[in-house]
Amino acid sequence: MRPRDDWKAAALQAAGVPADYDEPVDLVPYRFDDSAPFEPGRRDVLKMLGAGLMIAVAADSAPPKAKGEEPPRRRGGGPFGRGAASMAARVHLGEDGSITVLTGKVECGQGARMELAQAAAEELRVPFDAVRLVMGDTAAVPDDGGTYGSLSTPATVPAIRLGCAAARELLVARAAQVLGVDRSEVVVEGGTARGKPESSESVAYSDLARDPEAARAMAAAIPEGVELTPVAGWKTMGASIPKPTGRDIVTGSHEYPSDVVRPGMLYGRVLRGPSFGATLKTVDLAPALAMPGVVAVRDGSFVGVAAPSSAQAAEALKAIEKTAEWESPPPKTSSDALFDHLRANAQGGLPDRPLHPEGAKALRASYEVAYIQHCPMEPRAAVAEWEGGRLTAWVGTQVPFNVRGETARAFGLPEDRVRVVTPDFGGGFGGKHSGEYAVEAARLAKAAGKPVRVVWTRAEEFAWAQFRPAGAIEMEASLAPDGSVATWRHINVNSGPGALKPPYRVGEMDCRFLQSDAPLRHGSYRALASTANTFAREAFMDELAALAGSDPLAFRLGLIAEPRLRDALAEAASRFGWAEKSKAKEAGKGVGLACGTDKGGFVACCVAVTVDEAEGVVTVDHVCQVYDCGKIINPDNLRSQVEGAILMGLGPALREAIEFSDGMVTNGSFRDYRVPRFNDLPALDVHLLDRPDVPPAGAGETPIIAIAPAVANAVAAATGRRHRSMPIRVGAQSDRAGARR
């Protein structure tokens, strides 16, 4: 087994991502036969899928060039998949005519189940609902890397297309042989190949599955020259196919990880400390063990209980909590002093002298971004079951193979004795990249000798899950006599290097990320540091435009180097009516704009706001956003992704911020931590730029990065004052960064 100690670096390398990257159908969820023994391996995959032909496509085979389109390129220049160690796609053709596509990617609401099945159906020339997709089961699927970084569309879609195109070409070759025609005369439609459209003779994928010669052909390497369907020939890709599990989700019949039930299952709860970093000194399990049916276990610092009902488990945990004694370290800082702490502990220190020459027309500003929570609708959930020294865990995770490795290490097991199954789950947003809840369930299940389900409470999710990193950002720039940007400095402390370099033409540049002494556990989030860095940069650009005596739109358009970003910004401004609205003057109202690029996508956003300073309230009235991610695979799903990103981005822009004191979160509930609600919904005007000449990029992250700075710039226009922190506060709640200008 390949060591997975540095799983994130390995996964990113396998996906072709540069080392400085800052991130980290039977069309219902596939269910295996619960009575089948757990024996991972190719033989067992075939047993579960049925008799037929397995087509495996290695990830280190670069996607071929299709007629009229370039192969997708990874960030860093090479084609996706070069140097990858894992398998990127598998296709199983059943003798009964079934077609199963297997992928290590998972579905957490972003639409991967739809788009990956569309890719398979397109290349196989079958209807969408003829494809069965198995996702995130480590006993059956290849390790495609985690579901993060907007990589499913640019990396996994091409790999699945390649595997399915190879299957189609094999069918064409077999049909030409059987029907006695040239390959160029064979037409594949609806899963069958004919010599002529009107011919009554045909060869189907099910025939291919029974053909020993075809099986031998697929045992060899994929031949060179397998062609993907050019965009002009797309019939299934490019269409707005609805979510296959949509009806189950809205009717409540969909089974999430927190719904999984196993025979004889118990419900688990885990003892948590009173503060971050607290060490357990003593605890008495007797009060819990005295309760009927309750199992209580201590394993080092881990203490948990399992009971026949969740209410009994909560009662048993409460009894144990009363006996626990803890030793808590002194807290590093509180939320009130957070940003001073981050700056003071920046590794290498902040620059002590300006980048620009003395006397230059220059501007400096400091920005701050709070810790925030992911707030998935479904908290962390896992069900664990032991049988014969083997472990099966049903886990809501974005990284099933990494959770398998983490769990195997926790129990000293080879990875092939652990199976992780990931049902379609209720949201991740970068927050479900670790497997401690699976380990917790497995520890309790091992002690109890029965399956155990662990579902974190909302309070646990707020306090003990990872946060989006807080950041302190220093901006500095100077203008040349001709109005161009002569020097540019962007220093990010703690939150990360994503989107750190500007998409503008600038002169001498100093862009750096400095790590700091983070007081809270932090990790990946939707677009991660790209949100913080785009917020600071785009708010700063408005200030720089004012220094130059220029309109914010004209100033940006004069400096943008990337034509696609320029097009997106011009389109958004035109559709919003920037020329007229930016000149209108009405008390308490303002408009703002921002743009950015990340992970192969280009976004521009214009907003209109109303500000009530007396009440300290900002209302976002209208959002016009344009997004370009290349050729669109599923327009309706893409629109949903963009709209969801805008709404999610409004929370941290205006309200969301984790507050903590004495080593513990103090606003860990939806009552105290205010996420966007229906009455916060602005008028949304989303426009998608479809570019058939450009390979598709992901859309789960980039659409979130422009909304916060656009709002900040609109608030500045409405109030006449700059607000340099997220969340943006006005009136009596005006932020520290604005006051420090």
Side-chain angles (χ1 to χ4, degrees):
M1 288 290 177
R2 176 170 58 90
R4 304 187 65 84
D5 292 335
D6 190 1
W7 61 264
K8 191 172 181 181
L12 293 175
Q13 181 184 22
V17 181
D20 61 355
Y21 181 68
D22 72 312
E23 284 284 274
V25 211
D26 269 285
L27 298 176
V28 296
Y30 189 82
R31 292 180 175 85
F32 290 103
D33 179 5
D34 291 334
S35 65
F38 171 58
E39 299 173 352
R42 183 176 184 276
R43 180 178 302 175
D44 303 286
V45 172
L46 294 176
K47 186 190 302 182
M48 290 182 282
L49 296 176
L53 178 63
M54 177 71 81
I55 299 174
V57 183
D60 56 3
S61 299
K65 180 178 179 179
K67 291 180 180 178
E69 83 179 30
E70 288 294 322
R73 312 295 289 181
R74 67 183 181 182
R75 290 180 288 276
F80 274 111
R82 283 292 187 196
S86 62
M87 301 295 289
R90 285 175 181 164
V91 184
H92 180 267
L93 305 178
E95 292 182 5
D96 59 357
S98 62
I99 297 172
T100 305
V101 173
L102 304 102
T103 176
K105 296 297 187 183
V106 299
E107 172 64 58
C108 48
Q110 83 282 27
R113 184 172 290 280
M114 269 182 301
E115 294 196 352
L116 297 180
Q118 280 182 268
E122 183 65 64
E123 297 300 343
L124 290 166
R125 306 287 190 269
V126 298
F128 174 79
D129 58 6
V131 175
R132 178 173 63 181
L133 198 66
V134 178
M135 307 180 75
D137 184 331
T138 62
V141 303
D143 183 355
D144 291 327
T147 301
Y148 48 63
S150 290
L151 289 170
S152 296
T153 297
T156 308
V157 165
I160 285 179
R161 291 182 67 192
L162 176 60
C164 293
R168 184 191 71 234
E169 290 301 302
L170 187 62
L171 180 65
V172 168
R174 184 62 178 147
Q177 181 182 13
V178 170
L179 303 177
V181 298
D182 188 78
R183 289 182 58 146
S184 62
E185 298 179 52
V186 176
V187 176
V188 180
E189 188 175 13
T192 60
R194 291 182 170 83
K196 296 179 180 179
E198 65 273 12
S199 172
S200 60
E201 290 186 278
S202 65
V203 177
Y205 285 117
S206 56
D207 299 320
L208 198 66
R210 301 185 188 96
D211 184 354
E213 185 178 338
R216 285 192 294 272
M218 286 315 304
I222 296 295
E224 291 293 329
V226 175
E227 293 183 339
L228 306 184
T229 304
V231 170
W234 284 7
K235 292 183 173 60
T236 305
M237 294 180 71
S240 290
I241 292 175
K243 181 176 289 191
T245 56
R247 182 177 179 83
D248 290 343
I249 290 170
V250 299
T251 59
S253 61
H254 175 69
E255 186 178 89
Y256 292 92
S258 52
D259 296 321
V260 171
V261 176
R262 301 295 298 164
M265 187 182 78
L266 302 179
Y267 298 80
R269 293 291 302 274
V270 176
L271 182 66
R272 313 288 180 192
S275 64
F276 303 123
T279 302
L280 183 63
K281 295 172 64 179
T282 63
V283 66
D284 186 1
L285 305 184
L289 292 171
M291 298 177 180
V294 172
V295 175
V297 60
R298 179 175 183 179
D299 181 3
S301 61
F302 173 81
V303 177
V305 298
S309 73
S310 57
Q312 288 173 293
E315 183 181 358
L317 182 64
K318 187 175 181 180
I320 286 178
E321 284 176 332
K322 294 177 181 179
T323 73
E325 293 184 19
W326 300 84
E327 183 175 343
S328 296
K332 293 181 178 180
T333 187
S334 66
S335 49
D336 290 339
L338 170 63
F339 302 108
D340 291 338
H341 173 85
L342 293 178
R343 290 186 176 94
N345 289 277
Q347 293 185 9
L350 293 170
D352 58 3
R353 61 183 60 188
L355 184 65
H356 58 268
E358 186 176 351
K361 194 174 185 180
L363 181 69
R364 298 178 69 179
S366 298
Y367 295 85
E368 298 170 348
V369 178
Y371 281 113
I372 62 173
Q373 250 300 345
H374 300 79
C375 299
M377 289 299 291
E378 181 184 32
R380 281 156 174 70
V383 175
E385 181 174 0
W386 291 87
E387 183 177 356
R390 298 178 183 272
L391 172 65
T392 304
W394 293 260
V395 188
T397 177
Q398 294 173 248
V399 287
F401 282 88
N402 299 328
V403 171
R404 182 185 70 175
E406 183 177 344
T407 308
R409 289 192 298 273
F411 295 97
L413 293 174
E415 289 191 359
D416 62 2
R417 296 180 72 85
V418 178
R419 173 189 179 191
V420 172
V421 183
T422 304
D424 296 4
F425 60 97
F429 313 116
K432 295 178 179 176
H433 282 193
S434 58
E436 66 267 45
Y437 45 112
V439 175
E440 290 168 354
R443 278 176 162 164
L444 291 170
K446 193 173 185 66
K450 295 180 179 181
V452 171
R453 179 205 286 173
V454 169
V455 179
W456 283 23
T457 65
R458 185 59 62 183
E460 287 178 302
E461 187 76 23
F462 266 108
W464 299 103
Q466 65 189 32
F467 303 93
R468 187 190 73 180
I473 301 172
E474 304 300 321
M475 302 295 303
E476 175 201 321
S478 66
L479 298 175
D482 63 358
S484 62
V485 179
T487 62
W488 179 273
R489 172 174 277 160
H490 184 153
I491 308 296
N492 178 299
V493 179
N494 195 65
S495 65
L500 188 61
K501 293 186 178 180
Y504 303 110
R505 287 185 293 269
V506 300
E508 185 179 357
M509 183 168 54
D510 176 18
C511 296
R512 284 178 286 152
F513 162 56
L514 306 179
Q515 294 184 343
S516 187
D517 179 31
L520 301 184
R521 178 191 182 197
H522 64 222
S524 296
Y525 184 90
R526 195 174 193 175
L528 193 53
S530 299
T531 55
N533 288 322
T534 303
F535 169 74
R537 184 194 68 235
E538 290 299 298
F540 187 69
M541 281 294 289
D542 259 35
E543 298 195 54
L544 204 55
L547 182 67
S550 179
D551 171 77
L553 173 63
F555 187 67
R556 286 173 171 83
L557 291 176
L559 294 171
I560 291 176
E562 167 56 60
R564 290 172 66 185
L565 182 60
R566 182 186 176 89
D567 289 349
L569 180 58
E571 183 75 8
S574 174
R575 290 182 177 274
F576 180 74
W578 177 264
E580 302 79 22
K581 292 179 179 178
S582 62
K583 293 180 175 63
K585 300 299 180 182
E586 185 176 350
K589 292 186 178 293
V591 297
L593 56 77
C595 62
T597 177
D598 191 35
K599 300 177 177 68
F602 301 85
V603 64
C605 183
C606 298
V607 305
V609 304
T610 300
V611 180
D612 185 339
E613 291 195 85
E615 296 294 327
V617 175
V618 176
T619 301
V620 179
D621 303 311
H622 177 209
V623 176
C624 176
Q625 182 153 303
V626 171
Y627 186 55
D628 167 11
C629 60
K631 175 58 187 171
I632 299 172
I633 295 177
N634 187 314
D636 282 355
N637 187 57
L638 176 57
R639 183 177 301 278
S640 294
Q641 284 279 73
V642 176
E643 290 176 349
I646 292 170
L647 296 180
M648 188 172 181
L650 283 175
L654 295 176
R655 296 188 181 92
E656 291 183 46
I658 287 293
E659 298 170 5
F660 59 99
S661 180
D662 296 325
M664 199 58 188
V665 169
T666 58
N667 63 335
S669 71
F670 281 141
R671 177 187 61 198
D672 299 321
Y673 183 95
R674 177 80 147 69
V675 297
R677 303 175 183 175
F678 279 118
N679 59 1
D680 297 315
L681 181 67
L684 289 180
D685 188 13
V686 171
H687 301 276
L688 309 175
L689 298 184
D690 191 15
R691 295 190 178 271
D693 58 324
V694 180
E701 300 185 275
T702 307
I704 200 175
I705 67 176
I707 181 66
V711 170
N713 291 332
V715 170
T719 64
R721 289 182 299 280
R722 282 285 156 191
H723 303 271
R724 297 194 181 116
S725 73
M726 279 206 289
I728 301 158
R729 305 196 190 279
V730 297
Q733 301 181 44
S734 185
D735 60 89
R736 296 170 63 243
R740 190 169 52 238
R741 179 179 178 180

